[in-house]
Amino acid sequence: MSTVTDTPALANARRGFDSLEEETHLDGLPVRGELPPWLRGSLIRTGPAKWEVGDRAMNNWFDGFAMLHRFSFAGGDVSYANRFLESRAYRAARDEGRIAYSEFATDPCRSLFQRVSAMFSPKLTDNANVNLTKLGERFISMTETPIPVEFDAETLAAAGVPYEPPGQLSTAHPHMDRATKGMLNYAAKLGPRTSYRFFLLRPGSSKPEVIATKPVREPAYMHSFGLTERWLVLAEFPFVVNPPRLAFSGRPYIENYRWKPERGTRFHLFDRETGEGVGPFETEARFAFHHVNSYEEGGDVVVDICTFPDAGIVEDLYMERLRAGKPVTPGFLERFRISPEAGMVSSERLIDESIELPRINYSRCNERPYRYAWGVGMGGGWIDRIVKADVVERRSTVWSEEGCFPGEPVFVAAPDADDEDEGVLLSVVLDGRAGNSFLLALDARSLNELARAEVPHHIPFGFHGQFARG
Ligand code: CO
């Protein structure tokens, strides 16, 4: 890992790691500029917003209690509401003043006896602070460990557990199955015979159907997966866990994973129809959270991922380091081309700018050849720009403003759009100098600003969100 030094430019970003306690509803936010009249609906985002409980503090950015934020758009007006996701984990902390469930890198204080009993009856967290999705008419907030929480998009009130994944670990990055309109996701079933699994949840159903499975001794950390018209794409990075460690080590969840670069990166493909697996196809060690897109080209499978050289990024995201302004390792857009016939994988970096929290024109381009991805990039050690990647011409466009730190940019296609990048890009930006946040709307093609709407307070840095048309 590289040597770390304080970066003065990051001082303004620290506000984004301060907890936000207030739950509010604000109509008629001041809007500067002009939003497209067709923009109707809500950008709903989830992310950690509170890292302290009683006299304890959470360890990692990923650990904070989930807050839902909703920006609603109608006739050029913008309103905002936020509310903590009332998960069991959050309610226990609020009502009892203690951390009661295991989070990503923070555990409750437990005796050895409690740890062993937790193995047989795990108190898995439902602090769904990573992403959300719409399943039929239901909104669901998701995390990895693995309990999702349904919520009401109007009141942002939690409404129970919509389904239970077939395993103890899952991802917060499901894919939409075009054929059934259901949700495809990954799960790891831990036990004497640990396996990777993919499952389909049909609209309206609460019973996941396992559609592919593969035994594994030491499962890799999995944040997302790829999808082509034919294949489910599992990228197995060498950040792996020996399952009994999760029960017996006494360490928080993620600290049981080990970086084993000698294993390399292994791609597994599973036929979506038959569940049959091919691979592994091996290449050098990498680490990643986010697939960008995958598709088939000739006999090859093209898999675009935001990669890091190693799993050190997880350590970069500990709160102590972030609040001290230590720089975070940037990720880059890398294309892997798998040739199943030849049993080969090649890789290349697509653009020079760093990029993370990637989004595409999903409904049009997922599983298919595409041209554009939008994400955030880093200059001085923390996210400070919005990046548009043209993966065909291999070039990028950037939006940035001094002292400002944007979150994941969400693409919203214009109605009846002809072009892939015709629409707006919505991002929640922290103005580190003023100490508050604003909703930024950019022209998704040029990254020129269309409008911004300020809220009076800061919004802690979050992860992912979705736009729901109204
Ligand atoms: Co993610």
Side-chain angles (χ1 to χ4, degrees):
M1 245 145 282
S2 56
T3 327
V4 291
T5 47
D6 268 334
T7 309
L10 292 186
N12 284 326
R14 289 175 202 177
R15 189 91 180 103
F17 300 107
D18 288 346
S19 296
L20 173 64
E21 302 278 351
E22 301 261 300
E23 298 175 313
T24 51
H25 184 144
L26 301 164
D27 282 324
L29 297 182
V31 178
R32 204 172 87 197
E34 216 165 310
L35 289 159
W38 55 260
L39 187 68
R40 289 188 69 87
S42 297
L43 173 70
I44 309 178
R45 292 178 49 74
T46 184
K50 182 176 163 64
W51 289 271
E52 298 83 21
V53 182
D55 55 3
R56 285 197 67 193
M58 305 278 202
N59 296 326
N60 193 286
W61 184 28
F62 281 28
D63 290 334
F65 286 113
M67 182 178 268
L68 299 169
H69 305 266
R70 186 191 64 218
F71 285 91
S72 296
F73 306 88
D77 290 336
V78 185
S79 67
Y80 168 81
N82 68 329
R83 184 164 178 173
F84 280 105
L85 182 70
E86 289 181 0
S87 60
R88 292 184 309 215
Y90 175 73
R91 290 200 311 267
R94 183 190 58 195
D95 301 343
E96 300 162 31
R98 65 187 182 91
I99 298 168
Y101 292 81
S102 296
E103 301 296 341
F104 184 78
T106 303
D107 266 349
C109 295
R110 282 198 194 118
S111 66
L112 178 62
F113 171 76
Q114 286 169 321
R115 282 212 304 275
V116 173
S117 40
M119 181 193 176
F120 297 105
S121 167
K123 288 182 88 176
L124 298 171
T125 189
D126 57 348
N127 174 27
N129 67 9
V130 182
N131 196 3
L132 46 92
T133 191
K134 200 172 176 197
L135 189 63
E137 290 307 305
R138 298 182 295 169
F139 283 88
I140 294 164
S141 197
M142 312 176 79
T143 179
E144 300 179 340
T145 49
I147 316 281
V149 177
E150 189 171 339
F151 66 92
D152 183 303
E154 279 302 310
T155 63
L156 304 182
V161 173
Y163 68 94
E164 297 216 9
Q168 291 89 337
L169 305 173
S170 188
T171 85
H173 291 282
H175 279 293
M176 193 258 293
D177 181 44
R178 287 183 194 271
T180 63
K181 298 277 182 285
M183 183 187 93
L184 293 164
N185 205 348
Y186 155 95
K189 169 93 173 143
L190 308 179
R193 283 193 294 270
T194 295
S195 60
Y196 292 135
R197 294 171 150 194
F198 282 102
F199 65 91
L200 169 67
L201 186 68
R202 293 173 192 273
S205 167
S206 57
K207 292 201 173 59
E209 299 162 36
V210 174
I211 56 169
T213 180
K214 180 180 179 58
V216 56
R217 202 170 61 83
E218 294 194 313
Y221 173 76
M222 209 65 71
H223 188 88
S224 65
F225 61 97
L227 190 71
T228 76
E229 286 172 343
R230 177 170 177 196
W231 305 105
L232 294 149
V233 182
L234 194 70
E236 198 184 22
F237 305 106
F239 192 48
V240 298
V241 68
N242 184 14
R245 280 190 70 87
L246 285 174
F248 292 114
S249 74
R251 304 290 305 164
Y253 166 70
I254 200 65
E255 293 176 9
N256 296 294
Y257 283 77
R258 293 288 172 268
W259 177 245
K260 296 187 174 177
E262 65 281 2
R263 290 170 53 112
T265 297
R266 302 174 186 176
F267 288 95
H268 303 268
L269 305 176
F270 299 90
D271 190 299
R272 292 171 63 179
E273 279 296 311
T274 65
E276 200 179 326
V278 294
F281 305 102
E282 298 189 15
T283 186
E284 299 88 48
R286 298 280 197 290
F287 181 75
F289 294 109
H290 297 115
H291 282 253
V292 181
N293 198 9
S294 304
Y295 58 90
E296 291 148 50
E297 193 170 68
D300 293 350
V301 180
V302 175
V303 185
D304 290 353
I305 303 179
C306 294
T307 64
F308 299 89
D310 58 43
I313 178 68
V314 173
E315 288 160 47
D316 290 354
L317 300 178
Y318 276 70
M319 294 301 281
E320 201 177 54
R321 290 180 50 106
L322 293 170
R323 285 177 173 153
K326 305 287 188 195
V328 168
T329 310
F332 290 90
L333 179 48
E334 197 165 359
R335 171 161 292 176
F336 297 89
R337 182 177 291 272
I338 305 169
S339 306
E341 289 291 308
M344 276 174 49
V345 183
S346 64
S347 64
E348 59 179 327
R349 188 177 283 188
L350 291 182
I351 58 164
D352 294 333
E353 278 286 341
S354 70
I355 189 166
E356 243 297 339
L357 302 174
R359 300 296 294 243
I360 58 171
N361 184 336
Y362 187 91
S363 57
R364 175 164 162 162
C365 298
N366 194 48
E367 320 168 36
R368 299 168 180 171
Y370 73 116
R371 181 162 180 181
Y372 301 111
W374 295 268
V376 292
M378 287 189 198
W382 182 247
I383 294 163
D384 64 358
R385 61 196 67 185
I386 292 173
V387 177
K388 179 189 186 190
D390 178 337
V391 301
V392 172
E393 295 289 329
R394 315 252 168 138
R395 62 178 180 222
S396 55
T397 314
V398 166
W399 174 93
S400 71
E401 190 169 299
E402 195 174 349
C404 289
F405 304 93
E408 171 201 52
V410 174
F411 174 77
V412 185
D416 309 315
D418 290 323
D419 297 329
E420 183 185 327
D421 58 349
E422 199 176 332
V424 299
L425 212 53
L426 302 176
S427 172
V428 176
V429 182
L430 174 73
D431 182 337
R433 297 157 305 179
N436 69 335
S437 298
F438 58 91
L439 184 287
L440 176 69
L442 303 179
D443 179 329
R445 176 170 293 164
S446 62
L447 298 195
N448 289 335
E449 178 170 341
L450 298 172
R452 64 177 68 187
E454 274 188 51
V455 294
H457 56 270
H458 83 289
I459 295 177
F461 293 131
F463 298 119
H464 304 289
Q466 303 293 338
F467 187 81
R469 287 177 195 275

